[in-house]
């Protein structure tokens, strides 16, 4: 069961990214008239159907690092550098999409800084380049701290270190923590027989993470930026009130809203993509949560069949599952 969830979380994330790649940055008005209904070819980045982007490349690099090492942040950054410069962990041997803060952080590492000193901490460093690659860390945390890791302050140190190698602003660290604790609550509910509605699992995750961050002086002033997702009725907000930019708070909101308002894996993913804007990242984050909650069998087979380098991805996930479970 746990292996099924791990596979669904990772594949759900990568596939969501792939569905969104052709329409990344496309305005919502256009997608309202011509909505995405499945995988498309070409579009924004002129790539074949099933092509994944920076979200998945960095997640896969993280997975391989965690499979071979134990929270070695310099190793993770070495793999990010290989992705940027040599096209490792990409479908076709080239990096075609990368955020400004992420590229600057990797360049700092290339210039000799240690990984944990590379992430920018300015207000302008609050893009979603750390959040987009967090899903693999969920399984590292569960292995180290157990299924209730949200109550252990050490687990947040791990989350924040994985984030800070590219994005070190407290708001970014908090967004990553919120997402992973929510994902963990969904996984725990699933392993316990799925007795909880997803809204209850999300609310439980938000409460646990919020309790930690509000008790920590370094994050207390950041809580206000996440006020909307702490609202019980957040998932019922109308689509027009959801922003879908690359700003980390907007991205987290949009992915949670898509997951909460969707009815199955495909619906959650398509809701995310059709918000427009940073469609691939929002769909990747929503797709990861939907994969956990709805299971591997919920992911459309015709979508998986079009995923580029699917056999290699399966091999990477298999080795990761062997290490983590």
């Amino acid at each position: 069961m746990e292996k099924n969830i791990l596979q669904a979380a990772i594949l759900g994330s990568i596939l969501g990214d792939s569905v969104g790649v052709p329409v990344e940055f496309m305005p919502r008005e256009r997608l309202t008239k011509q909505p995405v209904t499945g995988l498309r070819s070409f579009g924004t980045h002129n790539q074949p159907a099933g092509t994944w982007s920076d979200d998945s490349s960095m997640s896969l690099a993280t997975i391989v690092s965690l499979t071979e090492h134990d929270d070695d942040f310099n190793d993770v950054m070495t793999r990010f550098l290989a992705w940027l410069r040599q096209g490792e962990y990409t479908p076709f041997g080239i990096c075609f999409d990368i955020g400004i803060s992420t590229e600057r952080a990797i360049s700092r590492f290339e210039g000799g800084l240690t990984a944990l000193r590379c992430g920018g901490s300015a207000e302008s460093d609050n893009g979603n380049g750390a959040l987009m690659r967090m899903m693999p860390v969920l399984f590292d945390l569960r292995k180290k701290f157990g299924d209730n890791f949200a109550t252990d302050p050490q687990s947040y140190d791990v989350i924040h270190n994985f984030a800070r190698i590219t994005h070190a602003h407290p708001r970014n660290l908090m967004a990553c923590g919120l997402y992973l604790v929510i994902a963990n609550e969904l996984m725990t509910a699933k392993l316990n027989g799925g007795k909880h509605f997803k809204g209850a699992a999300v609310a439980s995750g938000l409460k646990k993470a919020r309790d930690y961050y509000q008790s920590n002086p370094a994050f207390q002033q950041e809580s206000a930026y996440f006020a909307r997702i702490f609202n019980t009725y957040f998932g019922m907000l109308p689509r027009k009130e959801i922003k879908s930019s690359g700003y980390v708070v907007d991205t987290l909101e949009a992915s949670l809203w898509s997951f909460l308002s969707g009815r199955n894996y495909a619906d959650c993913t398509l809701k995310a993509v059709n918000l427009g804007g940073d469609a691939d990242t929002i769909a990747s984050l929503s797709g990861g949560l939907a994969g956990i909650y709805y299971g591997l069998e919920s992911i459309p087979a015709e979508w998986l069949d079009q995923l580029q380098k699917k056999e290699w991805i399966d091999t990477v996930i298999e080795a990761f599952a062997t290490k983590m479970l």
Side-chain angles (χ1 to χ4, degrees):
M1 181 65 168
E2 285 192 55
K3 183 177 179 181
N4 178 287
I5 295 174
L6 183 150
Q7 292 171 313
I10 304 301
L11 284 172
S13 299
I14 297 172
L15 199 54
D17 178 17
S18 301
V19 177
V21 162
V23 295
E24 186 179 15
F25 310 129
M26 195 172 287
R28 187 176 303 182
E29 295 73 19
R30 181 174 172 185
L31 288 168
T32 300
K33 295 176 182 177
Q34 297 177 310
V36 175
T37 58
L39 274 72
R40 291 183 180 181
S41 299
F42 309 113
T44 301
H45 297 286
N46 198 33
Q47 300 291 323
T51 299
W52 25 277
S53 68
D54 52 344
D55 311 60
S56 302
S57 290
M58 288 194 290
S59 293
L60 288 162
T62 302
I63 287 172
V64 175
S65 183
L66 283 170
T67 302
E68 298 181 5
H69 303 279
D70 183 23
D71 295 358
D72 186 337
F73 303 106
N74 286 318
D75 182 76
V76 175
M77 281 295 271
T78 299
R79 295 176 191 279
F80 288 177
L81 181 58
W83 157 63
L84 177 60
R85 302 299 186 214
Q86 284 86 47
E88 295 288 329
Y89 311 103
T90 67
F92 305 111
I94 186 169
C95 169
F96 63 84
D97 190 19
I98 186 170
I100 294 171
S101 293
T102 298
E103 186 168 16
R104 286 175 177 166
I106 295 172
S107 295
R108 292 185 193 110
F109 180 75
E110 188 176 27
L113 282 183
T114 57
L116 291 175
R117 296 177 59 202
C118 289
S121 57
E123 181 75 22
S124 59
D125 291 305
N126 275 317
N128 56 25
L131 180 62
M132 65 171 62
R133 55 179 171 81
M134 279 295 118
M135 184 58 82
V137 181
L138 168 66
F139 303 97
D140 181 50
L141 293 169
R142 289 179 67 93
K143 182 176 178 64
K144 283 185 172 65
F145 304 106
D147 60 6
N148 197 24
F149 66 75
T151 61
D152 189 334
Q154 293 182 85
S155 68
Y156 293 93
D157 292 339
V158 173
I159 295 168
H160 298 161
N161 283 337
F162 271 102
R164 77 170 74 251
I165 60 177
T166 59
H167 294 71
H169 192 284
R171 197 172 311 150
N172 231 299
L173 308 185
M174 185 171 175
C176 293
L178 290 168
Y179 180 76
L180 286 179
V181 176
I182 290 168
N184 185 58
E185 287 297 299
L186 289 166
M187 183 168 177
T188 299
K190 184 78 172 181
L191 289 171
N192 290 336
K195 297 176 182 178
H196 302 291
F197 291 112
K198 60 183 177 182
V202 170
S204 176
L206 285 169
K207 183 182 185 307
K208 288 182 179 181
R210 187 182 188 183
D211 287 347
Y212 168 78
Y213 286 114
Q214 290 192 333
S215 68
N216 189 320
F219 295 96
Q220 286 171 352
Q221 65 182 9
E222 296 299 329
S223 291
Y225 291 95
F226 299 96
R228 289 217 309 176
I229 64 170
F230 293 136
N231 189 309
T232 306
Y233 302 102
F234 171 74
M236 293 184 281
L237 287 175
R239 181 172 179 253
K240 65 182 180 181
E241 292 189 26
I242 303 301
K243 298 177 182 178
S244 51
S245 77
Y247 171 47
V248 70
V249 176
D250 288 349
T251 298
L252 181 61
E253 284 192 358
S255 59
L256 288 177
W257 179 87
S258 301
F259 171 65
L260 288 168
S261 60
R263 296 165 296 177
N264 50 52
Y265 174 84
D267 193 37
C268 293
T269 303
L270 294 175
K271 278 182 179 289
V273 168
N274 287 312
L275 287 172
D278 206 349
D280 59 333
T281 298
I282 294 166
S284 178
L285 292 164
S286 180
L289 298 179
I292 291 172
Y293 186 76
Y294 293 107
L296 191 60
E297 64 281 358
S298 71
I299 301 176
E302 63 271 23
W303 290 11
L304 283 172
D305 289 344
Q306 297 178 72
L307 189 62
Q308 299 293 336
K309 291 182 75 170
K310 172 67 162 50
E311 290 185 6
W312 174 74
I313 291 171
D314 285 340
T315 300
V316 170
I317 293 174
E318 181 69 29
F320 184 54
T322 299
K323 171 77 176 289
M324 291 295 155
L325 302 179

